[in-house]
Amino acid sequence: GIQVEQSPPDLILQEGANSTLRCNFSDSVNNLQWFHQNPWGQLINLFYIPSGTKQNGRLSATTVATERYSLLYISSSQTTDSGVYFCAVVMTGTASKLTFGTGTRLQVTL
Amino acid sequence: EAGVAQSPRYKIIEKRQSVAFWCNPISGHATLYWYQQILGQGPKLLIQFQNNGVVDDSQLPKDRFSAERLKGVDSTLKIQPAKLEDSAVYLCASSLTGTGPYEQYFGPGTRLTVT
């Protein structure tokens, strides 16, 4: 099956700092989503981005499907950004099954 | 618009007991998914329904897990008998159906502890 690797696995930032999270996948995909899992376990949709670039406030994401990677940018980080960030993909030719990455655990400190 | 609803939010049972989880998807979403998330890992698909038919149940441990979606709306996931390794968060998700794939939306999850 498809492999989805995220880096870095852990990240500690001071409030106000910027960061870039990376997601690499091993096969062709036709869906890619970024999620934030908050400390209460809720998966919050950030982006649905099978290709191209999107922005939403302090967050933006870029997917280069031909090179099999996606990036999530967080600017001016806040303590509420803490949690685990997952990317998840649907491999081309399969049903809608999402395969999740290994996750990046982010801690934003004051 | 209401999100995906799940209940209960927490459940503690002893091994060999049975347990059931309930999910109500977003209105109009014909595709429903159950995922299992073990601590420290990403969620993994257990079963996918389109309306009331099963699309993918290849990762469902069928000797102890069962799921149904009788009227094509809400769904129930059951474990009988439970094992210690079933301790996890069980997440339900839903999406539109068609030529997709479509964005999936997740419920708050049910945290199961098996002692």
Side-chain angles (χ1 to χ4, degrees), chain B residues 13-16 64 82-88 112-115:
Chain B
I13 62 172
E14 294 182 352
K15 59 183 179 183
R16 292 187 289 275
R64 297 183 302 105
K83 292 185 175 181
L84 296 177
E85 58 260 37
D86 298 332
S87 294
L112 174 67
T113 301
V114 183
T115 64

Side-chain angles (χ1 to χ4, degrees), chain A residues 45-95:
Chain A
N45 289 41
L46 297 178
F47 294 101
Y48 170 73
I49 186 167
S51 64
T53 297
K54 290 187 177 179
Q55 181 157 6
N56 184 4
R58 297 181 296 105
L59 303 181
S60 63
T62 295
T63 297
V64 184
T66 52
E67 298 187 18
R68 301 183 181 171
Y69 73 90
S70 183
L71 302 173
L72 177 69
Y73 305 96
I74 305 174
S75 65
S76 305
S77 59
Q78 301 175 357
T79 55
T80 52
D81 295 332
S82 296
V84 182
Y85 289 79
F86 287 105
C87 73
V89 302
V90 173
M91 192 167 72
T92 302
T94 67

Side-chain angles (χ1 to χ4, degrees), chain B residues 5-90:
Chain B
Q6 291 188 245
S7 68
R9 293 296 311 278
Y10 305 92
K11 191 74 177 178
I12 301 174
I13 62 172
E14 294 182 352
K15 59 183 179 183
R16 292 187 289 275
Q17 287 186 325
S18 62
V19 64
F21 313 127
W22 175 84
C23 171
N24 193 50
I26 292 172
S27 178
H29 283 192
T31 302
L32 183 148
Y33 315 79
W34 284 101
Y35 289 82
Q36 180 193 57
Q37 185 176 21
I38 293 172
L39 186 65
Q41 300 179 16
K44 293 182 181 173
L45 181 71
L46 291 175
I47 188 168
Q48 176 185 344
F49 292 95
Q50 183 168 313
N51 295 305
N52 58 354
V54 175
V55 173
D56 183 352
D57 65 354
S58 57
Q59 299 302 306
L60 187 73
K62 298 180 186 65
D63 58 333
R64 297 183 302 105
F65 285 64
S66 64
E68 60 184 13
R69 193 182 184 201
L70 294 176
K71 297 182 180 178
V73 180
D74 57 350
S75 175
T76 302
L77 177 70
K78 297 179 182 177
I79 308 175
Q80 182 178 10
K83 292 185 175 181
L84 296 177
E85 58 260 37
D86 298 332
S87 294
V89 176
Y90 291 85

